[in-house]
Amino acid sequence: MSAEPTQQLPPGLAEALSGGSGRSKPPMRSLHAFENGVDDVTITGDQPDLISNKYQLLCPREECRSVILRERVASFKAGPSVQIEPENVPNHSLLPAMPAASESTSWWLIEPSPMEFENIGFSRAVGALPNTRFPGKKLKLLICAECDLGPFGWCEEGGQKFWLACSRVGYKYVE
């Protein structure tokens, strides 16, 4: 009986598979680390009412930092808070709690398509979340497509507006 030939792995394959992506992580700051909050992460466009994101938006997880959105793609909007945490799910320690639904918060609005994102994941459609202004509408929660951290924001199922909470993403910041 002859011995079957052994198969060799290509050089470097085992190291590549065990060593992670190997890409360097971009520098990141959270919103609360900016002295002037949203004023420091926004930039005014040609029209005074067009305010967009000054920096790339990143996943806030230190081990991930995936680019979610390029700079100058989202519009800044202040508006009512949305309770995007599903009931009975504890808030992740990297994500600040959302203000009460009756309070205002800061949002990045991305439209008209999810193709504007560099890297975003969507949950399955969930029924209307408790204490939201969308009774009966199905929402999808926005998460990091690379590490599944979230939710960072939300959209209506089949909608063309995608909302990211300014406080729940990181900002690529280089001094």
Side-chain angles (χ1 to χ4, degrees):
M1 211 186 287
S2 65
E4 290 187 30
T6 59
Q7 211 171 14
Q8 296 278 331
L9 291 176
L13 179 61
E15 292 82 11
L17 292 174
S18 66
S21 69
R23 65 180 169 90
S24 63
K25 308 293 184 208
M28 183 197 71
R29 289 176 96 180
S30 61
L31 182 63
H32 76 271
F34 288 92
E35 184 178 341
N36 299 308
V38 294
D39 288 339
D40 287 343
V41 298
T42 56
I43 190 165
T44 304
D46 298 335
Q47 303 162 3
D49 59 338
L50 180 62
I51 302 171
S52 62
N53 57 308
K54 185 176 183 178
Y55 304 107
Q56 290 181 6
L57 306 183
L58 307 173
C59 172
R61 181 174 275 152
E62 185 75 24
E63 301 81 20
C64 181
R65 292 195 202 162
S66 179
V67 175
I68 296 170
L69 195 70
R70 297 280 174 205
E71 61 274 354
R72 295 180 178 252
V73 173
S75 300
F76 173 78
K77 304 289 180 190
S81 182
V82 174
Q83 296 304 303
I84 57 178
E85 294 293 341
E87 278 185 339
N88 303 321
V89 175
N91 199 33
H92 193 284
S93 62
L94 290 175
L95 302 174
M98 295 297 293
S102 60
E103 296 179 34
S104 182
T105 195
S106 300
W107 297 100
W108 293 118
L109 171 60
I110 299 90
E111 51 187 346
S113 160
M115 299 307 291
E116 300 296 325
F117 289 99
E118 294 299 311
N119 187 13
I120 198 73
F122 294 85
S123 72
R124 291 186 175 144
V126 296
L129 296 171
N131 304 319
T132 67
R133 62 183 195 266
F134 309 102
K137 293 189 178 182
K138 289 190 174 187
L139 303 179
K140 288 189 173 193
L141 303 178
L142 306 181
I143 62 172
C144 176
E146 193 163 322
C147 74
D148 294 333
L149 179 64
F152 301 143
W154 61 276
C155 66
E156 286 184 27
E157 185 177 37
Q160 296 180 333
K161 294 183 177 185
F162 306 87
W163 300 87
L164 293 175
C166 293
S167 62
R168 288 187 161 218
V169 294
Y171 297 85
K172 182 178 179 180
Y173 178 79
V174 180
E175 292 191 49

